[in-house]
Coordinates of all heavy atoms in Angstrom, one line a residue:
A724 N 246.1 93.7 207.9 CA 247.5 94.0 207.6 C 247.9 93.3 206.3 O 247.3 92.2 206.0 CB 248.4 93.7 208.7
S725 N 248.8 93.8 205.6 CA 249.4 93.1 204.4 C 250.8 93.0 204.5 O 251.5 93.8 205.1 CB 249.0 94.0 203.1 OG 247.7 94.0 202.9
K726 N 251.3 91.8 204.1 CA 252.7 91.5 204.0 C 253.1 91.2 202.6 O 252.5 90.4 201.9 CB 252.9 90.3 204.9 CG 254.4 89.9 205.0 CD 254.6 88.7 206.0 CE 256.1 88.3 206.1 NZ 256.2 87.1 206.9
L727 N 254.3 91.9 202.2 CA 254.7 91.6 200.8 C 255.6 90.3 200.9 O 256.5 90.2 201.8 CB 255.6 92.8 200.4 CG 256.3 92.6 199.1 CD1 255.3 92.6 197.9 CD2 257.3 93.8 198.8
L728 N 255.2 89.3 200.1 CA 255.9 88.0 200.1 C 256.9 87.9 199.1 O 258.0 87.2 199.3 CB 254.9 86.9 199.9 CG 253.8 86.8 200.9 CD1 252.7 85.7 200.5 CD2 254.3 86.6 202.3
D729 N 256.7 88.6 197.9 CA 257.7 88.5 196.8 C 257.5 89.7 195.8 O 256.3 90.2 195.8 CB 257.6 87.2 196.1 CG 258.7 86.9 195.1 OD1 259.9 87.4 195.4 OD2 258.3 86.5 194.0
I730 N 258.4 90.1 195.2 CA 258.3 91.1 194.2 C 259.2 90.8 193.0 O 260.4 90.3 193.3 CB 258.5 92.5 194.7 CG1 258.0 93.6 193.7 CG2 259.9 92.8 195.2 CD1 257.9 95.0 194.2
S731 N 258.8 90.9 191.8 CA 259.7 90.7 190.6 C 259.4 91.9 189.6 O 258.3 92.4 189.5 CB 259.4 89.4 190.0 OG 258.1 89.3 189.5
V732 N 260.5 92.2 188.9 CA 260.4 93.3 188.0 C 260.9 92.8 186.6 O 261.9 92.2 186.4 CB 261.3 94.4 188.4 CG1 261.3 95.6 187.5 CG2 260.9 95.0 189.8
T733 N 260.1 93.2 185.5 CA 260.5 92.9 184.2 C 260.6 94.2 183.4 O 260.3 95.2 184.0 CB 259.5 91.9 183.5 OG1 258.3 92.7 183.2 CG2 259.2 90.7 184.3
D734 N 260.9 94.1 182.1 CA 260.8 95.4 181.4 C 259.4 95.9 181.2 O 259.2 97.1 180.9 CB 261.5 95.1 180.0 CG 262.9 94.9 180.1 OD1 263.6 95.3 181.0 OD2 263.5 94.3 179.1
D735 N 258.4 95.1 181.3 CA 257.0 95.5 181.1 C 256.2 95.7 182.3 O 255.2 96.5 182.3 CB 256.3 94.5 180.2 CG 257.1 94.4 178.8 OD1 257.4 95.4 178.3 OD2 257.2 93.3 178.3
Y736 N 256.4 95.0 183.4 CA 255.5 95.0 184.5 C 256.3 94.7 185.8 O 257.4 94.3 185.8 CB 254.3 94.1 184.4 CG 254.7 92.6 184.2 CD1 254.9 91.9 185.4 CD2 254.9 92.0 183.1 CE1 255.2 90.5 185.3 CE2 255.1 90.7 182.9 CZ 255.3 90.0 184.1 OH 255.6 88.6 184.0
I737 N 255.6 95.1 186.9 CA 256.1 94.7 188.3 C 255.0 93.8 188.9 O 253.8 94.1 188.8 CB 256.3 95.9 189.2 CG1 257.4 96.9 188.6 CG2 256.6 95.5 190.6 CD1 257.5 98.2 189.3
E738 N 255.4 92.7 189.4 CA 254.5 91.8 190.0 C 254.8 91.6 191.5 O 255.9 91.3 191.8 CB 254.5 90.4 189.4 CG 253.5 89.4 189.9 CD 253.4 88.1 189.1 OE1 254.3 87.8 188.4 OE2 252.4 87.4 189.3
S739 N 253.8 91.8 192.3 CA 254.0 91.5 193.8 C 253.1 90.4 194.2 O 252.0 90.2 193.7 CB 253.7 92.9 194.6 OG 252.4 93.2 194.4
R740 N 253.6 89.7 195.1 CA 252.8 88.6 195.8 C 252.7 89.0 197.3 O 253.7 89.4 197.9 CB 253.5 87.3 195.6 CG 252.6 86.1 196.1 CD 253.3 84.7 195.7 NE 252.5 83.6 196.2 CZ 252.8 83.0 197.3 NH1 253.8 83.3 198.0 NH2 252.0 82.0 197.7
W741 N 251.5 88.9 197.8 CA 251.2 89.4 199.2 C 250.3 88.5 199.9 O 249.6 87.7 199.4 CB 250.6 90.8 199.0 CG 249.7 91.0 198.0 CD1 249.8 91.5 196.7 CD2 248.3 90.6 198.0 NE1 248.7 91.3 195.9 CE2 247.7 90.9 196.7 CE3 247.4 90.1 199.0 CZ2 246.4 90.7 196.4 CZ3 246.1 89.8 198.7 CH2 245.6 90.1 197.3
N742 N 250.3 88.8 201.2 CA 249.3 88.1 202.1 C 248.5 89.2 202.9 O 249.1 90.0 203.5 CB 250.1 87.2 203.1 CG 249.1 86.4 204.0 OD1 249.5 86.2 205.1 ND2 247.9 86.1 203.6
M743 N 247.2 89.2 202.8 CA 246.3 90.1 203.5 C 245.5 89.4 204.5 O 244.9 88.5 204.3 CB 245.4 90.8 202.5 CG 244.4 91.8 203.0 SD 243.3 92.5 201.8 CE 242.6 91.1 201.0
V744 N 245.7 89.9 205.8 CA 245.0 89.3 207.0 C 244.4 90.4 207.6 O 244.9 91.5 207.9 CB 246.0 88.6 207.8 CG1 245.3 88.0 209.1 CG2 246.8 87.5 207.1
G745 N 243.1 90.2 208.1 CA 242.4 91.2 208.9 C 241.2 90.7 209.5 O 240.5 89.7 208.9
D746 N 240.8 91.3 210.6 CA 239.5 91.0 211.2 C 238.5 92.1 210.8 O 238.7 93.2 210.9 CB 239.7 91.0 212.8 CG 240.6 89.9 213.2 OD1 240.5 88.8 212.6 OD2 241.4 90.2 214.2
L747 N 237.4 91.6 210.4 CA 236.3 92.6 209.9 C 235.4 92.8 211.2 O 234.3 92.2 211.2 CB 235.5 92.0 208.8 CG 236.4 91.7 207.5 CD1 235.6 91.1 206.5 CD2 237.1 92.9 207.0
T748 N 235.8 93.8 212.0 CA 235.2 94.0 213.3 C 233.9 94.6 213.1 O 233.1 94.8 214.1 CB 236.1 94.7 214.3 OG1 236.5 95.9 213.7 CG2 237.4 93.9 214.6
G749 N 233.6 95.2 212.0 CA 232.3 96.0 211.8 C 231.1 94.9 211.6 O 230.0 95.4 211.6
L750 N 231.4 93.7 211.3 CA 230.3 92.7 211.3 C 230.1 92.1 212.6 O 231.2 91.8 213.3 CB 230.7 91.7 210.1 CG 230.9 92.3 208.7 CD1 231.4 91.1 207.8 CD2 229.5 92.8 208.2
P751 N 229.0 91.8 213.0 CA 228.8 91.2 214.3 C 229.4 89.8 214.6 O 229.9 89.7 215.8 CB 227.2 90.9 214.3 CG 226.6 91.7 213.3 CD 227.7 91.9 212.3
W752 N 229.7 89.0 213.6 CA 230.4 87.7 213.8 C 232.0 87.9 213.8 O 232.6 86.9 213.9 CB 229.9 86.7 212.9 CG 229.9 86.9 211.5 CD1 230.9 86.5 210.6 CD2 229.1 87.8 210.6 NE1 230.7 87.0 209.4 CE2 229.5 87.8 209.5 CE3 227.8 88.4 210.9 CZ2 228.9 88.5 208.4 CZ3 227.2 89.1 209.9 CH2 227.7 89.1 208.7
K753 N 232.4 89.0 213.4 CA 233.8 89.4 213.3 C 234.6 88.3 212.6 O 235.6 87.7 213.1 CB 234.4 89.6 214.8 CG 233.7 90.8 215.4 CD 234.1 90.9 216.9 CE 233.6 92.1 217.6 NZ 232.1 92.3 217.4
P754 N 234.4 88.2 211.3 CA 235.2 87.2 210.5 C 236.6 87.6 210.4 O 236.9 88.9 210.3 CB 234.4 87.1 209.2 CG 233.7 88.4 209.1 CD 233.4 88.8 210.5
R755 N 237.4 86.7 210.1 CA 238.9 87.0 209.8 C 239.1 86.6 208.3 O 238.7 85.5 207.9 CB 239.8 86.2 210.7 CG 241.3 86.3 210.3 CD 242.1 85.7 211.3 NE 242.3 86.7 212.3 CZ 243.5 87.2 212.7 NH1 244.6 86.8 212.0 NH2 243.6 88.0 213.6
I756 N 239.7 87.5 207.5 CA 240.1 87.1 206.2 C 241.6 86.9 206.2 O 242.4 87.6 206.9 CB 239.8 88.2 205.2 CG1 240.4 89.6 205.6 CG2 238.2 88.3 205.0 CD1 240.2 90.6 204.4
D757 N 242.1 85.9 205.5 CA 243.5 85.6 205.3 C 243.6 85.1 203.9 O 243.3 84.0 203.5 CB 243.8 84.5 206.3 CG 245.4 84.2 206.3 OD1 246.1 84.7 205.4 OD2 245.8 83.5 207.2
V758 N 244.2 86.0 203.0 CA 244.1 85.8 201.6 C 245.6 86.0 201.0 O 246.1 87.0 201.3 CB 243.1 86.6 200.8 CG1 243.3 86.4 199.3 CG2 241.8 86.4 201.3
I759 N 246.1 85.1 200.2 CA 247.3 85.3 199.5 C 246.9 85.7 198.1 O 246.1 85.0 197.5 CB 248.2 84.1 199.6 CG1 248.7 83.9 201.0 CG2 249.4 84.3 198.6 CD1 249.6 82.7 201.2
G760 N 247.6 86.7 197.4 CA 247.3 87.0 196.2 C 248.5 87.7 195.5 O 249.6 87.7 196.0
R761 N 248.2 88.1 194.2 CA 249.3 88.8 193.5 C 248.7 90.0 192.7 O 247.5 90.0 192.4 CB 249.9 87.8 192.5 CG 249.1 87.3 191.4 CD 249.7 87.3 190.1 NE 248.7 87.0 189.1 CZ 248.1 87.8 188.3 NH1 248.3 89.1 188.4 NH2 247.1 87.5 187.5
T762 N 249.5 90.9 192.5 CA 249.2 92.1 191.7 C 250.2 92.4 190.7 O 251.4 92.4 191.1 CB 248.9 93.3 192.6 OG1 248.0 93.1 193.7 CG2 248.3 94.6 191.8
K763 N 249.8 92.6 189.5 CA 250.7 93.0 188.4 C 250.4 94.4 188.0 O 249.2 94.8 187.7 CB 250.6 92.1 187.2 CG 251.4 90.9 187.1 CD 251.3 90.2 185.8 CE 252.1 88.9 185.7 NZ 251.9 88.3 184.4
F764 N 251.5 95.3 187.9 CA 251.3 96.6 187.4 C 252.1 96.8 186.2 O 253.4 96.6 186.1 CB 251.9 97.6 188.5 CG 251.2 97.6 189.8 CD1 251.7 96.7 190.8 CD2 250.1 98.4 190.0 CE1 251.1 96.8 192.1 CE2 249.5 98.4 191.3 CZ 250.0 97.5 192.3
W765 N 251.5 97.2 185.0 CA 252.1 97.4 183.8 C 252.3 98.9 183.8 O 251.6 99.7 184.2 CB 251.2 97.0 182.6 CG 251.3 95.5 182.3 CD1 252.0 94.9 181.4 CD2 250.5 94.6 182.9 NE1 251.8 93.6 181.4 CE2 250.9 93.3 182.3 CE3 249.5 94.5 183.9 CZ2 250.2 92.2 182.7 CZ3 248.9 93.4 184.3 CH2 249.3 92.2 183.6
F766 N 253.5 99.3 183.2 CA 253.9 100.8 183.3 C 254.6 101.1 182.0 O 255.0 100.3 181.2 CB 254.9 101.1 184.4 CG 256.1 100.1 184.5 CD1 257.3 100.5 183.8 CD2 256.1 98.9 185.1 CE1 258.4 99.7 183.8 CE2 257.3 98.1 185.1 CZ 258.4 98.6 184.4
R767 N 254.5 102.4 181.7 CA 255.2 103.0 180.6 C 255.8 104.3 180.9 O 255.5 104.9 182.0 CB 254.2 103.0 179.5 CG 253.0 104.0 179.7 CD 252.0 104.0 178.5 NE 250.8 104.6 179.0 CZ 249.6 104.2 178.6 NH1 249.5 103.2 177.7 NH2 248.5 104.8 179.0
E768 N 256.6 104.8 180.1 CA 257.3 106.1 180.2 C 256.1 107.2 180.4 O 255.2 107.2 179.6 CB 258.1 106.5 179.1 CG 259.4 105.7 179.0 CD 260.4 106.0 180.1 OE1 260.5 107.1 180.6 OE2 261.1 105.0 180.5
S769 N 256.3 108.1 181.2 CA 255.3 109.2 181.4 C 255.6 110.2 180.4 O 256.8 110.6 180.1 CB 255.5 109.7 182.9 OG 254.6 110.8 183.1
N770 N 254.5 110.8 180.0 CA 254.6 112.0 178.9 C 254.3 113.2 179.6 O 253.3 113.4 180.3 CB 253.6 111.6 177.7 CG 253.9 112.7 176.7 OD1 254.2 113.8 176.9 ND2 253.6 112.2 175.4
K771 N 255.1 114.2 179.5 CA 255.0 115.5 180.2 C 253.6 116.1 179.8 O 253.0 116.9 180.5 CB 256.1 116.4 179.7 CG 256.2 117.7 180.6 CD 257.4 118.4 180.3 CE 257.6 119.6 181.1 NZ 258.9 120.3 180.9
N772 N 253.0 115.8 178.6 CA 251.8 116.5 178.2 C 250.6 115.7 178.6 O 249.5 116.1 178.2 CB 251.9 116.6 176.6 CG 252.9 117.5 176.2 OD1 253.3 118.5 176.8 ND2 253.5 117.1 175.0
E773 N 250.7 114.6 179.4 CA 249.6 113.8 179.8 C 249.0 114.3 181.0 O 248.3 113.5 181.7 CB 250.0 112.3 179.8 CG 250.2 111.7 178.5 CD 250.6 110.2 178.7 OE1 250.7 109.7 179.8 OE2 250.8 109.6 177.6
G774 N 249.3 115.5 181.5 CA 248.6 116.0 182.7 C 249.4 115.7 183.9 O 248.8 115.7 185.0
T775 N 250.6 115.2 183.8 CA 251.3 114.8 185.1 C 251.9 116.1 185.7 O 252.1 117.2 185.0 CB 252.5 113.9 184.7 OG1 253.4 114.6 183.7 CG2 252.0 112.6 184.1
T776 N 252.2 116.0 187.0 CA 252.8 117.2 187.6 C 254.2 117.1 187.7 O 254.8 116.0 187.4 CB 252.3 117.4 189.1 OG1 252.5 116.2 189.7 CG2 250.7 117.6 189.0
G777 N 255.0 118.1 188.0 CA 256.4 118.0 188.1 C 257.1 118.1 186.7 O 256.6 118.7 185.7
D778 N 258.2 117.4 186.5 CA 259.0 117.5 185.3 C 258.5 116.6 184.2 O 258.9 116.7 183.1 CB 260.5 117.3 185.5 CG 260.8 116.0 186.1 OD1 259.9 115.1 186.1 OD2 262.0 115.8 186.4
G779 N 257.5 115.7 184.5 CA 257.0 114.8 183.5 C 257.8 113.6 183.3 O 257.4 112.8 182.4
G780 N 258.9 113.4 183.9 CA 259.7 112.3 183.7 C 259.2 111.1 184.6 O 258.3 111.2 185.3
G781 N 259.8 109.9 184.4 CA 259.5 108.7 185.1 C 258.5 107.8 184.5 O 258.4 107.8 183.3
L782 N 257.8 106.9 185.3 CA 257.0 105.9 184.8 C 255.6 106.1 185.3 O 255.3 106.7 186.4 CB 257.5 104.5 185.2 CG 258.9 104.2 184.8 CD1 259.4 102.9 185.4 CD2 258.9 104.0 183.3
Q783 N 254.6 105.6 184.5 CA 253.2 105.7 184.9 C 252.6 104.4 184.8 O 252.7 103.6 183.8 CB 252.6 106.7 183.9 CG 251.2 106.9 184.1 CD 250.5 107.8 183.1 OE1 251.0 108.0 182.0 NE2 249.4 108.5 183.5
V784 N 251.8 104.0 185.8 CA 251.1 102.7 185.8 C 249.8 102.9 184.8 O 249.1 103.9 185.0 CB 250.6 102.3 187.2 CG1 249.7 101.1 187.0 CG2 251.8 101.8 188.0
Y785 N 249.6 102.1 183.8 CA 248.5 102.3 183.0 C 247.5 101.1 183.1 O 246.5 101.2 182.5 CB 248.9 102.5 181.5 CG 249.6 101.3 180.9 CD1 248.8 100.4 180.1 CD2 250.9 101.1 180.9 CE1 249.5 99.3 179.5 CE2 251.6 100.0 180.3 CZ 250.9 99.1 179.6 OH 251.4 98.0 179.0
F786 N 247.9 100.0 183.7 CA 247.0 98.9 183.9 C 247.5 98.0 185.0 O 248.7 97.9 185.2 CB 247.0 98.0 182.5 CG 246.1 96.8 182.6 CD1 244.6 97.1 182.5 CD2 246.4 95.6 182.8 CE1 243.8 96.0 182.5 CE2 245.5 94.4 182.9 CZ 244.2 94.7 182.7
Y787 N 246.5 97.4 185.7 CA 247.0 96.5 186.7 C 245.9 95.4 186.8 O 244.8 95.5 186.4 CB 247.1 97.1 188.2 CG 245.9 97.3 188.9 CD1 245.5 96.4 190.0 CD2 244.9 98.3 188.7 CE1 244.4 96.4 190.6 CE2 243.8 98.4 189.5 CZ 243.5 97.4 190.4 OH 242.3 97.6 191.1
D788 N 246.4 94.2 187.3 CA 245.6 93.0 187.4 C 245.9 92.4 188.8 O 247.0 92.3 189.2 CB 246.0 92.0 186.3 CG 245.2 90.8 186.4 OD1 244.0 90.8 186.4 OD2 245.8 89.7 186.4
E789 N 244.8 91.9 189.4 CA 244.9 91.4 190.8 C 244.2 90.0 190.8 O 243.2 89.9 190.2 CB 244.3 92.3 191.8 CG 244.5 91.9 193.2 CD 244.0 92.9 194.2 OE1 244.6 94.0 194.2 OE2 243.0 92.7 194.9
A790 N 244.8 89.1 191.5 CA 244.2 87.7 191.6 C 244.5 87.1 193.0 O 245.5 87.4 193.5 CB 244.7 86.8 190.5
W791 N 243.6 86.4 193.5 CA 243.8 85.7 194.7 C 244.2 84.2 194.4 O 243.7 83.7 193.4 CB 242.6 85.7 195.6 CG 242.2 87.0 196.1 CD1 242.9 88.2 196.0 CD2 241.1 87.4 196.9 NE1 242.2 89.2 196.6 CE2 241.1 88.8 197.1 CE3 240.0 86.6 197.3 CZ2 240.1 89.4 197.9 CZ3 239.0 87.3 198.1 CH2 239.1 88.7 198.4
E792 N 244.9 83.6 195.4 CA 245.3 82.1 195.1 C 244.4 81.2 195.7 O 244.7 80.1 195.9 CB 246.8 82.1 195.7 CG 247.8 82.8 195.0 CD 249.2 82.5 195.6 OE1 249.3 81.6 196.5 OE2 250.1 83.2 195.1
M793 N 243.1 81.6 196.0 CA 242.1 80.7 196.5 C 240.8 81.0 195.7 O 240.6 82.1 195.2 CB 241.8 80.9 198.0 CG 241.1 82.2 198.3 SD 240.5 82.3 200.0 CE 241.9 81.9 201.0
P794 N 240.1 79.9 195.5 CA 238.8 80.1 194.8 C 237.9 81.2 195.6 O 237.9 81.3 196.8 CB 238.1 78.7 194.8 CG 239.2 77.8 195.1 CD 240.2 78.5 195.9
A795 N 237.0 81.8 194.8 CA 236.1 82.9 195.3 C 235.3 82.2 196.5 O 235.0 82.9 197.5 CB 235.3 83.5 194.3
G796 N 234.8 81.0 196.3 CA 233.9 80.3 197.3 C 234.6 80.3 198.6 O 233.9 80.4 199.7
K797 N 235.9 79.9 198.6 CA 236.6 79.8 199.9 C 236.8 81.1 200.5 O 236.7 81.3 201.7 CB 237.9 79.1 199.7 CG 237.8 77.6 199.4 CD 239.1 76.9 199.5 CE 238.9 75.4 199.3 NZ 240.1 74.6 199.6
A798 N 237.0 82.2 199.7 CA 237.1 83.5 200.3 C 235.8 83.9 200.9 O 235.7 84.5 202.0 CB 237.5 84.5 199.2
L799 N 234.6 83.6 200.3 CA 233.3 83.9 200.8 C 233.2 83.1 202.1 O 232.5 83.7 203.1 CB 232.3 83.5 199.8 CG 230.9 83.8 200.2 CD1 230.6 85.3 200.5 CD2 229.8 83.2 199.2
L800 N 233.6 81.9 202.2 CA 233.4 81.1 203.4 C 234.1 81.9 204.6 O 233.6 81.9 205.7 CB 234.1 79.7 203.3 CG 233.1 78.8 202.6 CD1 233.9 77.4 202.4 CD2 231.8 78.6 203.4
Q801 N 235.3 82.6 204.3 CA 236.0 83.2 205.4 C 235.1 84.4 205.9 O 235.1 84.8 207.0 CB 237.3 83.8 204.9 CG 238.4 82.8 204.7 CD 239.7 83.4 204.3 OE1 239.9 84.6 204.4 NE2 240.6 82.6 204.0
L802 N 234.3 85.1 204.9 CA 233.4 86.2 205.3 C 232.2 85.8 206.1 O 231.8 86.6 206.9 CB 233.0 86.9 204.0 CG 234.1 87.7 203.3 CD1 233.5 88.3 202.0 CD2 234.7 88.7 204.1
I803 N 231.8 84.6 206.0 CA 230.7 84.2 206.8 C 231.0 83.3 208.0 O 230.1 82.9 208.8 CB 229.6 83.4 205.9 CG1 230.2 82.2 205.3 CG2 229.1 84.4 204.8 CD1 229.2 81.4 204.4
T804 N 232.2 83.0 208.2 CA 232.7 82.1 209.3 C 233.1 83.0 210.5 O 234.0 83.9 210.4 CB 233.9 81.2 208.9 OG1 233.4 80.5 207.8 CG2 234.3 80.4 210.1
P805 N 232.5 82.8 211.7 CA 233.0 83.7 212.9 C 234.4 83.4 213.1 O 234.9 82.3 213.0 CB 232.0 83.2 214.0 CG 230.9 82.7 213.3 CD 231.4 82.0 212.0
T806 N 235.1 84.4 213.8 CA 236.5 84.2 214.2 C 236.6 83.1 215.2 O 235.7 82.9 216.0 CB 237.0 85.5 214.8 OG1 236.9 86.6 213.8 CG2 238.4 85.4 215.3
G807 N 237.6 82.3 215.0 CA 237.9 81.1 215.9 C 237.1 79.9 215.5 O 237.2 78.9 216.2
K808 N 236.4 80.0 214.4 CA 235.7 78.7 213.9 C 236.5 78.0 212.8 O 236.0 77.7 211.7 CB 234.3 79.1 213.4 CG 233.4 79.7 214.4 CD 232.9 78.7 215.4 CE 232.0 79.3 216.4 NZ 231.5 78.4 217.4
N809 N 237.7 77.6 213.1 CA 238.6 76.9 212.3 C 238.7 77.5 210.9 O 238.5 76.9 209.9 CB 237.9 75.4 212.2 CG 239.0 74.4 211.7 OD1 240.2 74.8 211.6 ND2 238.6 73.2 211.4
N810 N 239.1 78.7 210.8 CA 239.3 79.4 209.6 C 240.4 78.8 208.7 O 240.4 79.0 207.5 CB 239.6 81.0 209.8 CG 238.4 81.8 210.2 OD1 237.4 81.2 210.4 ND2 238.6 83.0 210.3
Q811 N 241.3 78.0 209.2 CA 242.3 77.4 208.4 C 241.7 76.4 207.4 O 242.3 76.2 206.4 CB 243.3 76.7 209.3 CG 244.2 77.6 210.0 CD 245.2 76.9 210.9 OE1 245.3 75.7 211.0 NE2 246.1 77.7 211.4
D812 N 240.5 75.9 207.7 CA 239.9 75.0 206.7 C 239.4 75.7 205.5 O 239.0 75.1 204.5 CB 238.6 74.3 207.4 CG 239.1 73.3 208.3 OD1 240.3 72.9 208.3 OD2 238.3 72.8 209.2
T813 N 239.3 77.1 205.6 CA 238.8 77.8 204.4 C 239.9 78.2 203.4 O 239.7 78.9 202.5 CB 238.0 79.1 204.9 OG1 239.0 80.0 205.5 CG2 236.9 78.8 205.7
Q814 N 241.2 77.9 203.7 CA 242.3 78.2 202.9 C 242.2 77.4 201.7 O 242.1 76.2 201.5 CB 243.6 78.0 203.6 CG 243.7 79.0 204.7 CD 244.0 80.5 204.2 OE1 244.7 80.5 203.2 NE2 243.5 81.4 204.8

């Protein structure tokens, strides 16, 4: 599940901050991931001739960037740690 923690809008981009939590039940040790991150979406006016459907108005996302607030190594530890094995230490 994901939870939206914050959202901000500027003239150039929208930035969201979120928390993603889930159990990876497809793996035998059923690890739990709990990651806070952010995503930025840059947008521009949509052009009717760019292959859009409808009236061609509105905005179009042309670039996005995503980052987690934890080092990759700690995220990896969450993937190899069985559920219930003190996952809070991997934050």
Side-chain angles (χ1 to χ4, degrees):
S725 294
K726 179 179 179 182
L727 181 63
L728 302 176
D729 189 38
I730 190 164
S731 60
V732 180
T733 72
D734 289 339
D735 298 318
Y736 62 85
I737 297 171
E738 182 172 19
S739 63
R740 186 169 178 263
W741 41 263
N742 181 210
M743 177 177 59
V744 178
D746 296 322
L747 302 178
T748 57
L750 297 172
W752 58 95
K753 298 176 178 41
R755 169 172 281 243
I756 57 169
D757 187 348
V758 178
I759 294 176
R761 63 139 189 96
T762 306
K763 272 186 177 180
F764 298 93
W765 281 265
F766 55 89
R767 60 182 164 216
E768 292 290 327
S769 179
N770 184 331
K771 192 173 187 174
N772 298 325
E773 290 181 356
T775 60
T776 59
D778 65 7
L782 300 173
Q783 178 181 26
V784 173
Y785 67 93
F786 183 76
Y787 86 98
D788 179 51
E789 183 173 297
W791 293 356
E792 292 182 6
M793 71 168 51
K797 286 191 176 189
L799 179 61
L800 280 175
Q801 288 186 9
L802 290 176
I803 62 174
T804 303
T806 298
K808 298 287 184 182
N809 203 9
N810 282 8
Q811 289 184 349
D812 288 343
T813 62
Q814 292 287 324

